[in-house]
Amino acid sequence: MYKQNVLVAMMLILSVILPPSIQSLKLKAGTWGKSFLKKNQETQTNLQFYFHDTVSGKNPSVVKVAEPVDKSKPFVTQFGSIWMADDPLTETSDPKSKLVGRAQGIYASSCQQEFGLLMSLSYSFVDGPYNGSTFALVGKNSAMNPVREMPVVGGTGLFRMARGYAIAKTHWIDLTNGDAIVGYNVTLVH
């Protein structure tokens, strides 16, 4: 009986001491993603990747699908224009670096005073433990600001019921044709 009590007591002590250190890091995807188990049993995932928006060339990842009939508005804001996107997401800013996913959806110029976009994109991942998982970003992107924050409103797979935010920072932009590389740091709670 004494041995059973000692064994039960040791198991209880180990179950309290070990799981936080063992379970704190749940998943890791190369250099671009980590998931942690939070104290309230939700997982926090931090992702860092690059979004390649290519408007020019023979194989653009973004195409304009609508524009306003009244083109007398300033071209700078492109107010009323709508684009469809299927942008690659990579591990580094180099377009030839490892593909980790794609950003697919639409964005529309929704501001008359600035180049502000209403983004509605699904970020779908194809690499590591996040393969097949997605999160949805819907919100305003003040695209000419060097750094901006946008809301994450849902997800699927490992990111089911995700909420959070994305910090986007322009890494490179060609103002003559609109091509851009944007670094994303995303925090998800799911």
Side-chain angles (χ1 to χ4, degrees):
M1 183 71 151
Y2 174 75
K3 285 184 179 181
Q4 278 184 315
N5 289 341
V6 170
L7 184 58
V8 169
M10 287 184 67
M11 288 177 65
L12 284 172
I13 290 169
L14 288 175
S15 69
V16 171
I17 293 171
L18 290 180
S21 61
I22 293 172
Q23 294 180 5
S24 62
L25 179 62
K26 269 181 85 174
L27 296 172
K28 187 169 186 328
T31 60
W32 66 274
K34 295 178 186 167
S35 294
F36 298 90
L37 186 62
K38 294 174 64 176
K39 289 180 183 177
N40 61 358
Q41 299 302 309
E42 289 187 310
T43 300
Q44 178 176 313
T45 299
N46 301 313
L47 304 172
Q48 181 179 350
F49 53 82
Y50 289 83
F51 174 100
H52 298 267
D53 210 31
T54 305
V55 180
S56 68
K58 293 180 182 179
N59 192 24
S61 62
V62 177
V63 294
K64 188 183 281 190
V65 295
E67 59 186 3
V69 175
D70 178 9
K71 296 182 184 168
S72 65
K73 298 280 184 199
F75 176 75
V76 175
T77 68
Q78 296 194 38
F79 178 71
S81 296
I82 300 172
W83 294 265
M84 187 65 62
D86 184 5
D87 290 333
L89 307 174
T90 61
E91 194 169 37
T92 72
S93 60
D94 181 354
K96 295 178 180 151
S97 67
K98 184 177 189 177
L99 181 74
V100 299
R102 300 197 77 81
Q104 299 165 318
I106 62 172
Y107 49 90
S109 178
S110 59
C111 300
Q112 294 187 54
Q113 308 305 319
E114 66 171 313
F115 187 57
L117 302 170
L118 171 61
M119 308 286 282
S120 179
L121 295 171
S122 178
Y123 291 71
S124 304
F125 295 93
V126 298
D127 183 55
Y130 308 122
N131 185 12
S133 297
T134 70
F135 70 80
L137 185 147
V138 179
K140 181 183 177 188
N141 178 356
S142 295
M144 297 314 287
N145 291 350
V147 179
R148 50 253 182 228
E149 181 176 335
M150 294 167 281
V152 172
V153 298
T156 66
L158 288 176
F159 304 143
R160 185 174 293 132
M161 302 290 287
R163 62 193 186 283
Y165 62 95
I167 301 292
K169 183 176 182 184
T170 303
H171 177 75
W172 172 84
I173 188 167
D174 183 334
L175 293 173
T176 62
N177 61 24
D179 291 355
I181 299 172
V182 180
Y184 271 76
N185 285 299
V186 181
T187 299
L188 303 173
V189 176
H190 50 99

